[in-house]
């Protein structure tokens, strides 16, 4: 409780409130974005997510009205009361978000007796009652309020009635909907209610907690163990505005290199160059397009990062160049844990320069990861990031094309790092408690900078752990899922929520990482994943192999078919990234993002949109060969069955094992390339446009697909309009230096897929 407002003053975009003991701030960052800030820990934001804070003057008015101080922008009214209670209204006076004034209602404590009985059977229980956090905000929750976002959390799309924690966690158990935390911490959520939509980003890197009505149906809360109360409120006419507002502050997913959208193969346990060569050979032999092979920890010398296992993998660079000749790119895994070994240069350099995290007593902190005893680079220190960035040269010089950052929660096999392990936060000494959730973020950032400096290309980084804003530096995969139908089902909401949380370039391990994949599951997984930006089949050492050919001809044919479809649709995906860098909107989208007024889509977990034009309804149930598909308003056209569907209703759609129901919205103009065995096998001379009925407008981008020239304007933007089956082609921008030799129009009935 901050007490009475004693005074307030306007300072630029900030309104500074004095309460007896401390100050608190409301800062207007844009007419639809405000920051609420109580500096409990320190006076600066020290945000890891928002690196460039907008500082253009925003027009707003401050006045006293009754017992509140009101701050009015073009779009919002923020009312500030004693105790720093805050209510936020739309300009028309509709209440959007109100602080809850009552006390929290926690669950009664369990009796000693109940606890003892539960424990007797081995249940893991705590007395449980909820906690008042040092830093917290409690907001009124409406009866009909839904919650989306929060990064990679398990479960379904709508997070209402659940609670979550933000504490990057590597838990190899099968991820179920009662998991509160996974690998990523993105404390951003969107709430949708009858009166409107808004988003909140709680920018606090400490262990934080979010409870969306599980404790009490009258309120939801977010809180953290320490740090500041520092959150951003985003309003908008529609949900897409909120996503754009969030990425306006934390950054958008940048346009990737074109080849990174191709198919990728990985496995932990490809234990020699011979195995890799064989995998590469089989892809070409079976004519299954593939762009990339990942090298898991097996390629390293005793799991020492930035080394090469010559015994099993031959001379450094040899294998990479060999498979490069066959059109494969190589991505290598790099973990943060550095093996304790006096004879290992990375360890020695780090020790000599004081680059590893330390105990409070000043000794280098040691835990264990794959290489055994290991130490942790202190990525919050800019010097350590520069050192680590430089280390990427080792890989780049060998011809490696992308870097996969794993175990960066950070994982630790001898129990969690104690809260007081000493880390650095830029220019200040900090702790594990404060830096844990940004460890993966800072590692990915260092990796990105290193690859960029070494190659001049758009870096391809994949991370497991991250924080809000990591999308600027890295793509992400959802970690160690398993070959379970429930995990296939979860892939849709999980990837969609990551997209709503700014992370557009994401994917799951196709086929599942742990447990044994089945032929049917692999088919259904590839059918779903064909639209997940990160398109990688990966599995764990010890599980049965799950490359497309492992289950016989039928499964291989289905895999090939959908991988070919992916290569046909590459220009559509690339266009979405091109647009996404500007708008912040993701590639994979839950239907609620564009049809938020339609109650049918609020909890739709087994369909998704790709951009605005395609709707995918994959089969995610074992044995199913048909499924119900909901169509939002408009007319939709089946890509493969060539049927017409009317929106606002459900249809039963046939989906035998070799089919995934995919539909195009009326007016769609779909850009398509010819299938190649890998990106750039031949020049993309011909662009096909599949034209669907209705009126359409579409912008297609073309550039070198590799470096940053597009940011200087070196790209083409074609503009297509369709009306009554007639297409007009225009060129909005013609600066790439090359154009297609031919642009061919194809009527949707005649479109040939999988070929
Ligand atoms: C972790 C990763 C997994 C990887 C394995 C070995 O479990 O999540 O993808 O294969 O480590 O490096």
């Amino acid at each position: 409780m901050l007490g009475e407002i004693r005074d307030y003053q306007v300072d630029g975009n900030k309104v500074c409130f004095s309460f007896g003991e401390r100050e608190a701030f409301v800062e207007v960052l844009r007419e639809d974005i405000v920051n609420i800030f109580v500096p409990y820990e320190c006076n600066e934001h020290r945000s890891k997510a928002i690196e460039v804070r907008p500082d253009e003057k925003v027009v707003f008015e401050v006045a006293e009205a009754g017992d509140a101080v009101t701050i009015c922008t073009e779009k919002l009214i923020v009312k500030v009361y004693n105790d720093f209670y805050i209510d936020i209204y739309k300009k028309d006076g509709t209440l959007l978000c109100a602080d809850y004034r009552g006390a929290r209602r926690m669950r009664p404590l369990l009796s000693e007796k109940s606890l003892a009985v539960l424990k007797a059977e081995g249940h893991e229980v705590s007395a449980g009652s909820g906690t008042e956090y040092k830093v917290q905000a409690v907001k009124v929750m409406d009866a009909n309020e839904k919650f989306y976002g929060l990064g990679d959390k398990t479960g379904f799309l709508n997070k209402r009635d659940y609670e979550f924690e933000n504490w990057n966690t590597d838990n190899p158990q099968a991820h179920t909907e009662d998991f509160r935390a996974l690998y990523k911490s993105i404390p951003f959520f969107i709430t949708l209610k009858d009166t409107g939509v808004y988003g909140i980003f709680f920018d606090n890197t400490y262990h934080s907690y979010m409870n969306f009505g599980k404790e009490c149906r009258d309120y939801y809360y977010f809180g953290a163990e320490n740090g500041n109360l520092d959150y951003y409120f985003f309003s908008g006419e529609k949900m897409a505005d909120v996503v754009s507002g969030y990425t306006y502050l934390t950054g958008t997913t940048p346009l990737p290199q074109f080849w990174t959208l191709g198919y990728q193969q990985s496995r932990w346990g490809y234990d020699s160059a011979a195995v890799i060569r064989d995998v590469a050979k089989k892809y070409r032999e079976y004519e299954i397009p593939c762009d990339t092979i990942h090298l898991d920890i097996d390629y390293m010398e005793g799991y020492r990062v930035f080394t090469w296992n010559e015994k099993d993998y031959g001379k450094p660079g040899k294998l990479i160049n060999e498979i490069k000749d066959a059109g494969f790119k190589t991505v290598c895994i790099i973990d943060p844990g550095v093996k304790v070994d006096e004879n290992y240069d990375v360890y020695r350099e780090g020790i000599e320069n004081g680059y590893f995290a330390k105990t409070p007593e000043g000794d280098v902190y040691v835990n264990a990861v794959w290489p055994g005893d290991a130490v942790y680079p202190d990525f919050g220190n800019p010097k350590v990031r520069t050192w680590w960035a430089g280390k990427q040269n080792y890989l780049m010089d060998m011809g490696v094309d992308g870097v996969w950052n794993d175990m960066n929660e950070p994982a630790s096999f001898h129990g969690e790092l104690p809260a007081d392990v000493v880390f650095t936060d830029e220019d200040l000494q900090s702790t594990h408690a404060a830096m844990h959730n940004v460890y993966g973020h800072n590692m990915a950032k260092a990796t990105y900078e290193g690859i960029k400096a070494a190659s001049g290309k758009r870096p391809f980084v994949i991370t497991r752990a991250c924080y809000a804003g990591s999308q600027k530096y890295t793509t992400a995969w959802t970690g160690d899922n398993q070959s379970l139908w429930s995990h296939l089902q979860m892939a849709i909401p999980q990837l969609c929520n990551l997209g709503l949380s700014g992370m557009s370039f994401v994917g799951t391990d196709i086929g599942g990482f742990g447990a044994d994949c089945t032929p049917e599951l692999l088919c259904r997984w590839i059918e779903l994943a064909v639209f997940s930006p990160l398109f990688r089949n990966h599995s764990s050492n010890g599980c049965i192999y799950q490359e497309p050919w492992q289950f016989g001809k039928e499964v291989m044919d289905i895999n090939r078919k959908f991988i070919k479809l992916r290569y046909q649709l590459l220009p559509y995906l690339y266009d979405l990234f091109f647009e996404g860098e500007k708008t912040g909107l993701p590639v994979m989208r839950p239907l609620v993002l564009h049809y938020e007024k339609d109650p049918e889509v609020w909890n739709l977990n087994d369909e998704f949109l790709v951009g605005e034009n395609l709707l995918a309804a994959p089969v995610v149930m074992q044995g199913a060969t048909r499924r119900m598909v909901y169509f939002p308003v408009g007319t939709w056209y089946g890509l493969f069955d060539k049927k017409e569907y009317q929106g606002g209703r459900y249809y039963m759609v046939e989906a035998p094992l070799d089919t995934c129901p995919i539909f195009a919205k009326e007016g769609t103009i779909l850009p398509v390339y010819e299938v190649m065995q890998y990106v750039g096998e031949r020049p993309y001379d011909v662009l096909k446009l599949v034209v669907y009925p209705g009126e359409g407008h579409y912008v297609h981008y073309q550039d070198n697909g590799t470096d940053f020239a597009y940011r200087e304007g070196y790209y083409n933007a074609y503009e297509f309009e369709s009306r009554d089956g007639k297409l007009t082609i225009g060129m909005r921008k013609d600066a790439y230096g090359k154009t297609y030799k031919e642009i061919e129009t194809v009527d949707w009935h005649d479109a040939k897929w999988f070929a």
Side-chain angles (χ1 to χ4, degrees), residues 46-60:
R46 304 194 68 83
S47 179
K48 305 296 169 282
I50 304 169
E51 291 183 45
V52 187
R53 204 175 168 82
D55 58 1
E56 263 172 48
K57 178 79 190 109
V58 186
V59 178
F60 60 91

Side-chain angles (χ1 to χ4, degrees), residues 183 268 296-297 333 335 370 404 406-407 464 477 479-480 509 513 536 538-539:
Y183 308 93
W268 172 23
D296 204 320
I297 49 175
I333 199 170
D335 295 335
W370 301 122
W404 164 22
D406 187 21
M407 310 297 274
R464 193 169 72 174
W477 96 109
D480 296 349
D509 284 346
F513 173 73
R536 181 183 76 156
H538 177 54
S539 58

Side-chain angles (χ1 to χ4, degrees), residues 346-530:
V346 180
Y347 175 74
R348 272 202 324 269
E349 279 169 37
I351 291 287
E352 278 158 23
N353 293 294
Y355 286 164
F356 300 124
K358 297 198 174 61
T359 65
E361 293 72 37
D363 302 320
V364 172
Y365 174 79
V366 182
N367 202 306
V369 226
W370 301 122
D373 282 355
V375 292
Y376 293 83
D378 180 9
F379 291 120
N381 177 346
K383 285 197 188 121
V384 176
R385 288 202 298 273
T386 305
W387 172 60
W388 199 260
K391 288 271 158 252
Q392 311 305 314
N393 288 331
Y394 173 80
L395 299 171
M396 297 296 118
D397 291 348
M398 254 191 282
V400 171
D401 300 281
V403 178
W404 164 22
N405 285 174
D406 187 21
M407 310 297 274
N408 51 358
E409 293 69 35
S412 46
F413 294 170
H414 292 165
E416 190 163 284
L417 279 67
D420 59 0
V421 169
V422 180
F423 282 86
T424 307
D425 175 4
E426 304 303 313
D427 51 334
L428 295 179
Q429 181 172 316
S430 186
T431 58
H432 178 237
M435 299 306 288
H436 175 89
N437 280 342
V438 288
Y439 193 77
H441 173 90
N442 279 329
M443 181 188 185
K445 182 171 165 176
T447 307
Y448 175 96
E449 299 298 354
I451 300 179
K452 189 172 173 189
S455 69
K457 295 179 184 164
R458 304 166 205 163
F460 183 45
V461 184
I462 308 174
T463 193
R464 193 169 72 174
C466 68
Y467 183 69
S470 300
Q471 65 268 15
K472 296 185 288 283
Y473 305 113
T474 182
T475 75
W477 96 109
T478 56
D480 296 349
N481 62 357
Q482 300 203 8
S483 303
L484 305 172
W485 286 92
S486 58
H487 279 188
L488 177 65
Q489 288 154 17
M490 185 171 73
I492 298 176
Q494 199 175 27
L495 296 176
C496 284
N497 273 326
L498 274 162
L500 293 180
S501 314
M503 302 285 301
S504 181
F505 201 149
V506 287
T508 57
D509 284 346
I510 296 170
F513 173 73
D516 290 333
C517 193
T518 68
E520 185 188 357
L521 185 63
L522 186 64
C523 294
R524 291 310 192 185
W525 213 305
I526 198 83
E527 292 171 9
L528 182 155
V530 81

